[in-house]
Amino acid sequence: MTTTAQAERPALRKNPPGAARGPRRRTGRIRRVGLPYLLLLPALFLELLVHLVPMVIGIVMSFKELTQFYIRDWGAAPWSALDNYTVSVDFDAPVGEALLHSFLVTIAFTLLSVGLCWLIGTAAAVFMQDAFRGRGLLRALFLVPYALPVYAAVITWVFMFQHDNGLVNHVLHDQLGLTDKPSFWLIGDNSFIALLTVSVWKGWPFAFLIVMAGLQNIPGELYEAAALDGAGVWQQIRRITLPSLRPVNQVLVLVLFLWTFNDFNTPFVLFGRTAPEAADLISVHIYQASFVTWNFGTGSAMSVLLLLFLLLVTGGYLALTSRGRRKAS
């Protein structure tokens, strides 16, 4: 009996105590890996509900002859195939000509706004790198335009741009005497300058914040070594600061471009439902084509064309920047 028991003991030792826990460990690993995705499901569902579903509906609407007569049941609107797109890109017709003008105005506005926002934000961030008394307070003041609600900030500018009692005309005409008479800022050609001013005032603190964060990753030893070699301030900015900020600026410029090109709140609050011709941005133009003339099919087609343009620009920009990073590395 003793010999038999001793012979069976090695057989029992072949199965270690932790062998039975293998499936449990595997199940626990699956739970740990799957838990983050499970937590993301509510956000993904809301993203699908808020963004993707309306996008798909808008694309479907762009192929329909959807006017005010089919508001109650838009699904019953007849199919128009590519007629809405044909009307939108027919630049010899009034609808296409107006859309082209709005597109060109938006391009000019976006390039100027993004360029000025980046220039002012970068200059302010570089200036704020050196420690001095009151730097923290000044940084907080610089971020006020970005922190203010859009409607409150733009409405304030509306009062400032008033013809008779606005602050802008009071300073430029009454105090400085730079103009012969008070100017109309919210109508006519000056509306583009007013819109650009508000956009830059509202957008440059974001560029300042991003560039200031990027400057924190540049070692101070580089500037000290450059100063010992006799490099001046402008040479340090050109040779050290700007090359080091290239990855940050690439993302910053793209984000500013997309935000500015799609900006609807600023021109809508500044000018109302009908923007002046000089400040007819494409976002407001599509709104007018959809909700003022009640031609939702044409407005949806314009929105799809805008989406395709932005996707093309974003893809080309990312391809160029990634190619530049590969060459630099």
Side-chain angles (χ1 to χ4, degrees), residues 69-263:
F69 302 107
Y70 299 98
I71 295 288
R72 185 181 297 272
D73 185 12
W74 70 272
W79 289 93
S80 62
L82 298 176
D83 292 345
N84 292 326
Y85 293 93
T86 303
V87 171
S88 300
V89 298
D90 186 6
F91 301 135
D92 295 329
V95 176
E97 184 181 0
L99 180 62
L100 179 61
H101 173 267
S102 177
F103 175 76
L104 296 177
V105 170
T106 308
I107 288 290
F109 164 74
T110 303
L111 294 178
L112 289 174
S113 179
V114 172
L116 290 175
C117 286
W118 177 84
L119 182 61
I120 298 174
T122 303
V126 171
F127 173 73
M128 286 294 171
Q129 284 302 106
D130 297 332
F132 57 88
R133 185 184 299 272
R135 184 178 64 169
L137 177 61
L138 198 57
R139 283 180 175 178
L141 292 177
F142 281 173
L143 295 177
V144 168
Y146 182 69
L148 284 176
V150 176
Y151 289 93
V154 178
I155 288 175
T156 304
W157 277 100
V158 171
F159 286 107
M160 293 172 61
F161 281 128
Q162 292 297 319
H163 177 264
D164 296 327
N165 52 5
L167 180 62
V168 175
N169 280 333
H170 176 70
V171 173
L172 296 180
H173 176 68
D174 298 338
Q175 293 187 345
L176 300 180
L178 298 178
T179 57
D180 297 333
K181 57 182 179 179
S183 303
F184 289 94
W185 294 102
L186 300 179
I187 59 175
D189 295 336
N190 289 333
S191 59
F192 183 85
I193 301 176
L195 179 61
L196 182 63
T197 302
V198 178
S199 177
V200 173
W201 176 85
K202 185 171 59 70
W204 79 265
F206 176 76
F208 162 73
L209 185 65
I210 299 302
V211 173
M212 186 174 60
L215 288 174
Q216 307 303 317
N217 297 323
I218 303 177
E221 293 80 3
L222 295 178
Y223 294 101
E224 295 176 0
L228 291 176
D229 291 338
V233 176
W234 293 110
Q235 291 180 339
Q236 293 178 17
I237 294 176
R238 181 183 176 185
R239 301 295 183 180
I240 300 176
T241 305
L242 293 180
S244 301
L245 290 176
R246 185 174 300 169
V248 176
N249 285 328
Q250 289 174 353
V251 178
L252 174 62
V253 170
L254 179 61
V255 172
L256 286 176
F257 178 84
L258 295 176
W259 282 0
T260 307
F261 203 94
N262 287 319
D263 190 12

